[in-house]
Amino acid sequence: MSAPAALLAGALRPRYAAPVGAAFAALAVLATVRGWSAGGGTVDVPWAPTYDLRFTVELDGLAVLYALLATGIGCAVLVYSSHYLPLHLEHEGRPESEGTSFYFFILLFMGSMVGLAMAQDLILLFVFWDLTAIASYYLIGFDRHEEDSRASALMALLVTGITAVFLLIGALMLYAAHGTFSIPELTRLTEPGPLLAVAGGLIAVAGLAKSAQVPFHFWLPRAMAAPTPVSAYLHSAAMVAAGVLLIGRVYPLIQKSDLLLDALLVVGLASMAVGGVLALTRDVLKQLLAYSTVSQYGYVVFMYGLGGKYGAAGAAFYVIAHALSKSALFLTAGAVTEATGEDRLSRLGGMRKPLPMLALASGLAAAGLAALPLTIGFFKDELFFGAALERGPVFSALTVLGAALTFAYIWRFWSGIFLGAPRDGACGVPVALVAPVVALGALVLVGGVFVGPFAELAVAAGTVSYDAPAVVEPAYHLDARPENLMALAAYALGVLIVVSRPVWSGAAMGVSRLGEVAGPERLYDLTVRGLNRFSDFVHRAEVRDLRSRVAAILLPAGILVGVGFLVTPTEGAYRVGEVRAQDAPLILALLSVAVASLTTTITRRHVTLALVLSSAGFVLALVYAFFGAPDVALVAVLVETILTLVFVATLKLVPRKVLHRQAGLPTERPRRKVFFSVIAGAFAFAVVWGTLSQPAAERSVADEHLRLTPEAHAKDAVTAILADFRGLDTLGEISVVALVLLAVATLLNAGRLR
Amino acid sequence: MTSVLTRMVAKLLLLPTLVAAVAILVKGYTQPGDGFSAGIVAGLGVVLQYLAFGREEAEKLPVVRSAGVIAFAGLLISLFVMLAPLFLGDPILTHYPPPEAEVLIFGTLEILTAVLFDVGVFLLVFGFSVGTVGIISRSIAVEEEYAADAIEPDSEPGTEARS
């Protein structure tokens, strides 16, 4: 949990970042296990009670499962990348120090993933959700000099970020109806109905997009532009898992609506089919694995859609089994590519000779995914079939078909790399690239023999999702029960698919081509391009030159204010109050402001113009002082001073001859300018006059602040408001100031602050 | 080059400006003024040095060289004041001592976390104004190197900085 903090220490020395990160990930694993064996724990801190926002995290079953996945597989991936990344950077010709940001973001991802797993509050969930999206953007776009990888990172960010807004909308809808963001409380309060269906649906859309389900699946294969450890981590255990984690977390709400469950079924099935078929057509290793991830998470969503205790616990179990196997396979793909320089199935083969350990370990992982007995995968399919059997024969048949597809594409992956005629040019790979695969493969095998601990974890997670005990007992049964028969049927069908490849390969390629022409990715491209064009259009119309920019602000502002002015009743407004003798200095000051303002319209020399403008400002500051607002007056004087200096300094940059010539030029399009100015000025004048004639009766906020000022130990209300009552606003504003400083440094000084 | 008088006044004014800024800052809770105004006043003091002595002399001042550090230290202080109450179990931005409790008074200065928050604002605004002026003046100097026929501009009044 403190992994990102630990990284900062490691970041000082790029060489140490990886071991430090891995050590902390391992520590986090231990901490999670210990927390879980101690019976979980809860932290509940209200961090903005005014808005009902609480920092509520609880280490429940679901949280433990995903936290273990995130930290455990993260640990393996970190060990792997400690050797992979220097090689990768060397290939790309980049300095080794750039690896530090990689570790930073992967640990940031890990931290936010753990937070996401433990969050019990929808807003907190949203915060962590977006943190993972941001970290993933930098990880996917790690090779930032390549346009393709930048575009992929942006696509992942847009797809998951825009749908995250749906999560926020859903959360706000639930809050509006029930007055709480807390998921356990919402579970108690909500009742089936259209509101729950819509809000739950919106939240589910966010989850489905993150899990790369149809029709949002297109970002995942594109995201394979990332370095292999990133793919292995994000696309097996972390990022896509976050999607089903969200569904599992809000499942107590979702399962109240049959409509949502049916929608999950449809989406899950579609993803299984699309992902499975496309995985059979891909030639690039990581692309194949990406589509298989789409299809595998389709199973999980499908199981949530089936519902029941088998659905809830089975989905959790499936996530464990899949994450272990899939990350091992991704790491295999990276190691093989590292050894041969090839990333296409058609150019690989016979690798079992040079890399026997890797072949064995990834064979175990592949067997796990294909659900062969003696691996953890067997049980995932057992639960999968069990869940489907509860819903009748049609679903059973579909699940068998899905399992057969899995079998086929996994066989294609493994046999394509390791079997067949050996090729030349293969060299050995470092131990650190093989060891994590071996460890994960061993886990897959251990899970196949001693399924107890894994099942316990899944049951605990399923219980949270199902909101009732979801006890399932996966085990080997040597009899002809339906689950076993279905497994056998799936193997047989899978072999059939493998053998009959020439028959269907044309059709599968056709589907793939169709997806490229009319798929959602094209829609995404069109949308992004259209938005870009629209933004260019607005840019050209509004900010191309200074004159139209000013007009673009003045004219709409004037018209809007004017419309508001015309529809407001004007009774009682526009009174002219009586003028008393003691107001004389005030009136004098205001008069001189007016004179100065009028002068600006006829002045031609630039320096004079700047000075006249600033004199108007100084006199206005004086007016504030008359009104008894010394704080405002002080700030006004200071701001005016700075502005004058900026004006004069800017004029100093322009050669004096140019200034002279400019001052002598006739005004361009004077009538247009006068028209704009009069519209904006006249309406502003009318509105200010109207407002000042009728001082608002309620001044509750100001009175409240004045009353509270002594309580805050202050005698100056303005300062008390700035530092205390509205401190958060101040903080936001000064953060903007800091950002502007960075922006100035970036634009003018190549990012250096000195 | 500016006149001797301007330079002398500028030199003499730097320290008083900074003192005045600190006064505006710490007295903010009892009298007009706050971190923002204090930061601007202090920033103006430094800008005056730029106007009187030119870029190269002004950049020898330690505050100019570490403007970025000052700004972000300020932001960190404010963030810390905002987040620290979380660890004590209070909502963010709770200030200590709480209402109605005794305040430690040091001379005429009240010791409050809100003042510390304002110190953060002050440092940020100060660092921002000095840093921006520094960066802009440097980029101008770079441009002037390119444009060989730069015209020597006349001196501009720096007296307003005293307000």
Side-chain angles (χ1 to χ4, degrees), chain A residues 4-339:
Chain A
L7 180 79
L8 288 178
L12 300 173
R13 281 284 177 79
R15 215 167 267 279
Y16 299 143
V20 170
F24 266 83
L27 268 184
V29 174
L30 291 180
T32 318
V33 172
R34 222 182 123 222
W36 175 235
S37 57
T42 311
V43 178
D44 185 4
V45 183
W47 58 277
T50 331
Y51 305 107
D52 250 352
L53 297 182
R54 306 177 72 79
F55 183 86
T56 318
V57 291
E58 189 185 339
L59 197 62
D60 58 11
L62 201 62
V64 171
L65 194 162
Y66 283 94
L68 277 182
L69 278 185
T71 51
I73 294 188
C75 190
V77 166
L78 280 169
V79 170
Y80 182 90
S81 39
S82 68
H83 276 75
Y84 181 89
L85 206 62
L87 290 175
H88 178 75
L89 288 173
E90 201 183 306
H91 280 309
E92 308 274 339
R94 294 159 70 185
E96 201 178 325
S97 57
E98 289 194 20
T100 312
S101 70
F102 173 86
Y103 295 111
F104 172 74
F105 282 111
I106 212 159
L107 286 173
L108 175 67
F109 197 101
M110 196 185 292
S112 37
M113 188 69 197
V114 172
L116 186 68
M118 292 172 38
Q120 298 284 337
D121 181 288
L122 281 173
I123 295 296
L124 191 65
L125 206 68
F126 176 73
V127 171
F128 281 124
W129 187 264
D130 272 2
L131 264 182
T132 60
I134 292 166
S136 74
Y137 173 75
Y138 286 103
L139 285 174
I140 295 173
F142 183 68
D143 296 333
R144 57 175 182 271
H145 51 283
E146 278 168 32
E147 192 184 351
D148 186 44
S149 103
R150 288 200 307 269
S152 310
L154 187 64
M155 183 190 275
L157 183 71
L158 282 182
V159 171
T160 60
I162 289 174
T163 49
V165 179
F166 289 162
L167 163 63
L168 187 63
I169 296 174
L172 289 175
M173 282 174 70
L174 289 173
Y175 180 75
H178 302 290
T180 176
F181 286 120
S182 152
I183 296 170
E185 277 180 49
L186 281 174
T187 310
R188 217 161 23 76
L189 291 172
T190 46
E191 288 180 0
L195 174 91
L196 182 69
V198 174
L202 286 171
I203 297 177
V205 165
L208 292 174
K210 198 109 168 169
S211 278
Q213 296 298 292
V214 172
F216 303 108
H217 63 281
F218 56 90
W219 71 262
L220 187 66
R222 285 291 303 270
M224 292 300 140
T228 302
V230 174
S231 312
Y233 189 48
L234 296 198
H235 308 316
S236 65
M239 179 132 165
V240 278
V244 289
L245 161 65
L246 178 68
I247 294 178
R249 178 61 73 199
V250 297
Y251 195 66
L253 307 177
I254 290 180
Q255 68 176 351
K256 290 183 185 177
S257 157
D258 287 337
L259 183 70
L260 286 181
L261 290 183
D262 290 346
L264 286 184
L265 273 182
V266 172
V267 171
L269 270 179
S271 305
M272 271 158 68
V274 170
V277 170
L278 292 184
L280 284 172
T281 63
R282 296 296 135 151
D283 195 28
V284 179
L285 294 178
K286 282 166 75 182
Q287 294 282 332
L288 194 163
L289 290 178
Y291 279 111
S292 91
T293 301
V294 170
S295 126
Q296 294 287 311
Y297 276 96
Y299 290 72
V300 177
V301 170
F302 181 71
M303 268 150 101
Y304 274 125
L306 286 174
K309 66 176 186 179
Y310 275 108
F317 192 85
Y318 209 110
V319 170
I320 308 178
H322 169 255
L324 289 176
S325 309
K326 185 56 70 60
S327 48
L329 291 182
F330 267 119
L331 297 181
T332 307
V336 167
T337 306
E338 204 54 59

Side-chain angles (χ1 to χ4, degrees), chain A residues 631 713 715 723 731 734 754, chain B residues 29 33 65 82 95 110 138:
Chain A
D631 272 294
H713 310 293
K715 297 198 185 76
L731 202 74
I734 62 173
R754 272 186 276 174
Chain B
Y29 255 57
R65 269 178 290 158
M82 174 182 111
H95 285 307
E110 296 179 335
R138 176 168 321 174

Side-chain angles (χ1 to χ4, degrees), chain B residues 13-39:
Chain B
L13 267 181
L14 178 62
L15 209 59
T17 326
L18 294 182
V19 171
V22 173
I24 291 175
L25 171 67
V26 297
K27 297 287 241 177
Y29 255 57
T30 47
Q31 283 163 22
D34 48 41
F36 177 77
S37 344

Side-chain angles (χ1 to χ4, degrees), chain A residues 6 95 112 127 146-147 156 228 249 252 271 279 300 342 358 382 399 411 483 523 533 574 608 633 664 683 738 747:
Chain A
S112 37
V127 171
E146 278 168 32
E147 192 184 351
T228 302
R249 178 61 73 199
S271 305
V300 177
E342 290 295 343
L358 192 67
E382 185 183 348
T399 51
W411 170 257
E483 283 96 332
L523 188 69
R533 215 171 293 148
Y574 308 111
T608 326
F683 281 121
L747 286 176

Side-chain angles (χ1 to χ4, degrees), chain A residues 155 222 520-530:
Chain A
M155 183 190 275
R222 285 291 303 270
E521 179 166 358
R522 204 173 154 80
L523 188 69
Y524 166 88
D525 277 345
L526 287 177
T527 319
V528 169
R529 224 170 285 149

